[in-house]
Amino acid sequence: MNVKRSKVFTIVTFILLLSVSVFLESKEISKKFGSINGTLIESTSRHPLPGTEVLIVGTKRITLTDEDGKFSLSNIPVGTYSLKFSLDGMKPQIQTDIIIKSSRTSVVNAKIQLISLLNETITVTANYFNQEPDQPTNTVNFSNEEIRRAPGTGGDVSRIIASLPSIAQVTDQSNNLVVRGGSSHENLFIIDNIQIPNINHFPFQGSGGGAVSLINVDFIDDVEFFAGGFSPIYGDRLSSVMNLSFREGNREKFNGQLTLDFTGAGLNIEGPIPGKKGMSQGSWMLSARRSYIDLLSNIMDTGADIKYSDIQGKIVYDLSARSKLTLLGIVGSDNSTVSHENAIDQGETLFGITKNQEHTIGLNWFWMWSDKGYSNTSISNTKTKFDYNFRKTATDTLYLDNLSEDESFHIRNVNHLNLSYNQKIQFGFEVHHYKSKYNYFTASYIDSLGQQIDETKKDINIKANKASLFFNYSLTVFSKLSFNLGLRTDYFSYTGKTTYSPRSTIILNISDRTSLSASLGIFKQNLPLLLLYQNEKNKELEDPSTLQYSLGLNHIFGDSIKLNVEAYYKKYEHFPVDPQQQSLCLLDNIFGFSLFGDNPLSDKGKASSYGVEFTLQKKLKEKLYGMISGSLFSTRYRDLNGKWYNRIFDNRYIFAIQGGYKPNQKWEFSLKWTIAGGRPYTPFDITLSEQANSGIFDQAQINSKRMPAYHSLNLRFDRRFYFNKSNLTMYLSVWNVYNNKNVASRYWNEIENKPDYSYQFSTLPVFGIEFEF
């Protein structure tokens, strides 16, 4: 965005929102009340917990759960509250960030842990962190409210995850997750037991990243993120798992919400499914959103015409008290056009059109088949269409024409069985069917090593199947020591190979506040079909794998502050290398759109990543919340000649501080400041590049130089208004407040035939209005 226009737009937006705020102040009513309905279950068995005391922290309001674990509290003054759950033999738990709104019912789904063991006396204090005793210490959870209000994220779930110390700093313009030295295709995304290959608008082909989240943050109930050492129930990924849970719709009455923010406008509606005797049989939710960045492109000087939209919904239907069906649907459409004139003005190498269409539809069946076990079984279909047409800006000649489709069908079954009070197993299977069509043309070009690459035409249809079995056994001894032992096996028909992935975790609970964990495991992942199909010999490649070690410490201070420190090491084997470009990291180029040659690849490369990271997190209590985090790490790869290079997202260090203050029930102020080491880059051979008018690397200095350090400050202001039958939230967030000129990339400007830089966001205002009715 043009800096001068950005500042004017920020000031105008602030004045407008301030004026609206003053006007709405006079419309608020003095006494506003809402209510809470909730369900409490035991975290391992998922059984309801009757007779549990539910206390609104800071008040004397108490109620008990009924025989179905349900509870309700009414006539609660609007504001933000915490609930404390207490029951003999269970670990008391506090759940924060419960927003009470005028004339609305807030739904709370809570879980607490069984701690009563034979012949033991245990003292356990309540805290705000609900982590399973057998989970790795790097497990992080974010609630809907924590995602919604986070500065510098725009409600994008991937961007709040990117604030963790496990994630490399990439660019402001994308939400790619590069986890502990991995690649952006190494991350698994699951929503309500349904796998989704990419959760973004403008998805990057062959990758898990994109430009902006496809997921409606208002639908999210909870996000669970594993940065490594995850259970074998998750597979075919090397780096991380993001497990999202969508909330259910309102089971009592119809509700709606209108949203208007910097990127677009949306409508959410929800309500009950009527059942017998006037009781609710389930619920439904539906949302539709449409961006209007294209309408603001002249004001913002974006240099592109960008449009995207999505529709998503969820239906929950109770088959019985022990069984229910969940139908999930997500559909998105994306269009971006960069004109030749704008490409010249912006110094872009290419111009043209990007079109994407993506959808996921899935059905999950939850069944509690005994008092000791339950299962989730899902069937789903995902399809993404890619349509790219790019031309060279300098010559106005065709560079790329790509019309491709990736479609997949999935069946996933996960079973949980409690063998005894201290033993449980998880087991299940997955079946996947893939159909891909690749039809594209690439013009001849000179690659970054100065080699002439001939033009390519391909029209390929591919079908492939995957099948997986997994098993995990957990044992807790004397409430202090937990063991997890698991195995996963995966078969891929395209290569005809079967892989085995054993994993183990040991957790020592020194006290109810302090725990140590160590994990060791092998993780394997098939290469993307986008790479495999380029040459028939690629079927012979071994799957990339990592051997991962980690050692972590968790300690809780008081009841609302948790410290996590973890050291890790990842050793990559069978790392793919292009013998003609072996000094370049092939997997780092699966980022945005990249061209791949059709020569056979080698699996003889290696890579490694190691580091130490910490997180000090404070949950909302008494008006304050926040997180301080940091990491020191190194990530490298080795070519076929045994030479090691830095990977392109090797920041070496990251430090971030974020937090907020709620002085009352109406206002909230928050900030986030991040600093990260400069990413490696390769300087150009100026003479050769000028002769070719194309960026040609100095091969003696591959990834040996570093860009300037990245740093940015984001601020956010929220104001809530409570009316008689409705509620309104307004916010203004300013990204990169002091307008630091952070470098995004270094490239060869073919229009001016010289090296040049592209930059990340300058000062950027992001505003929003949420009206609930």
Side-chain angles (χ1 to χ4, degrees), residues 453 458 534-535 538 577-581 596-601:
I453 307 298
K458 295 209 173 186
Q534 302 286 347
N535 191 289
N538 289 343
V577 175
D578 184 344
Q580 292 188 3
Q581 298 179 321
F596 305 102
D598 56 6
N599 48 292
L601 303 178

Side-chain angles (χ1 to χ4, degrees), residues 479-645:
S479 79
K480 297 291 186 182
L481 195 60
S482 296
F483 299 90
N484 288 307
L485 298 173
L487 177 66
R488 183 182 181 94
T489 179
D490 296 272
Y491 169 75
F492 188 26
S493 68
Y494 189 79
T495 62
K497 292 182 172 59
T498 300
T499 61
Y500 299 91
S501 304
R503 301 171 195 176
S504 62
T505 302
I506 300 176
I507 300 173
L508 174 63
N509 295 301
I510 299 173
S511 69
D512 68 311
R513 293 181 178 275
T514 307
S515 64
L516 293 171
S517 73
S519 66
L520 171 65
I522 294 175
F523 300 78
K524 298 191 177 184
Q525 180 177 351
N526 303 131
L527 285 171
L529 285 171
L530 182 66
L531 287 178
L532 288 174
Y533 83 85
Q534 302 286 347
N535 191 289
E536 190 70 18
K537 290 186 177 180
N538 289 343
K539 291 182 177 181
E540 302 172 8
L541 298 174
E542 295 293 330
D543 291 332
S545 67
T546 61
L547 177 62
Q548 299 186 24
Y549 312 84
S550 67
L551 179 64
L553 165 70
N554 259 345
H555 181 74
I556 295 177
F557 299 90
D559 55 8
S560 63
I561 300 175
K562 182 174 77 169
L563 172 68
N564 172 247
V565 181
E566 183 157 294
Y568 67 90
Y569 177 72
K570 290 171 69 174
K571 180 182 179 182
Y572 284 80
E573 296 289 347
H574 307 301
F575 200 67
V577 175
D578 184 344
Q580 292 188 3
Q581 298 179 321
Q582 61 174 293
S583 61
L584 305 182
C585 184
L586 181 66
L587 293 184
D588 284 352
N589 288 323
I590 306 181
F591 185 78
F593 178 79
S594 302
L595 298 180
F596 305 102
D598 56 6
N599 48 292
L601 303 178
S602 169
D603 58 10
K604 304 303 181 184
K606 294 182 181 294
S608 69
S609 177
Y610 58 88
V612 60
E613 53 198 38
F614 81 92
T615 302
L616 185 65
Q617 183 181 14
K618 183 186 187 306
K619 290 286 189 177
L620 175 62
K621 180 187 178 184
E622 297 175 353
K623 302 181 179 182
L624 289 173
Y625 61 88
M627 184 167 68
I628 300 173
S629 62
S631 60
L632 298 171
F633 62 95
S634 175
T635 175
R636 303 187 302 158
Y637 65 96
R638 194 189 77 174
D639 67 14
L640 301 180
N641 295 319
K643 186 174 181 179
W644 287 88
Y645 305 89

Side-chain angles (χ1 to χ4, degrees), residues 658-718:
Q658 56 187 303
Y661 173 62
K662 302 186 75 167
N664 52 49
Q665 305 299 353
K666 296 180 179 181
W667 286 96
E668 182 172 354
F669 308 96
S670 56
L671 63 82
K672 174 187 174 184
W673 183 74
T674 304
I675 184 169
R679 292 189 283 110
Y681 75 91
T682 303
F684 294 115
D685 184 315
I686 301 299
T687 301
L688 292 179
S689 298
E690 287 178 340
Q691 291 174 356
N693 191 19
S694 181
I696 299 175
F697 289 158
D698 181 346
Q699 298 187 49
Q701 301 188 69
I702 298 294
N703 287 349
S704 62
K705 303 296 183 182
R706 290 188 176 269
M707 297 178 186
Y710 171 97
H711 55 93
S712 178
L713 173 66
N714 302 312
L715 299 179
R716 176 165 169 149
F717 311 90
D718 287 61

Side-chain angles (χ1 to χ4, degrees), residues 8 72 74-75 131 165 245 283-284 300 329 457 484 494 585 595 605 611 622 631 640 660 688 706 714 719 726 745 765:
V8 172
S72 63
S74 58
N75 294 319
Q131 182 167 320
S245 299
S283 67
W284 58 271
M300 296 166 51
K457 291 183 180 180
N484 288 307
Y494 189 79
C585 184
L595 298 180
E622 297 175 353
S631 60
L640 301 180
L688 292 179
R706 290 188 176 269
N714 302 312
R719 172 65 162 94
S726 59
S745 65

Side-chain angles (χ1 to χ4, degrees), residues 232-248:
I233 71 171
Y234 305 112
D236 198 28
R237 292 298 186 272
L238 298 178
S239 288
S240 77
V241 176
M242 187 191 296
N243 189 13
L244 298 98
S245 299
F246 273 11
R247 65 180 178 87
E248 294 188 11

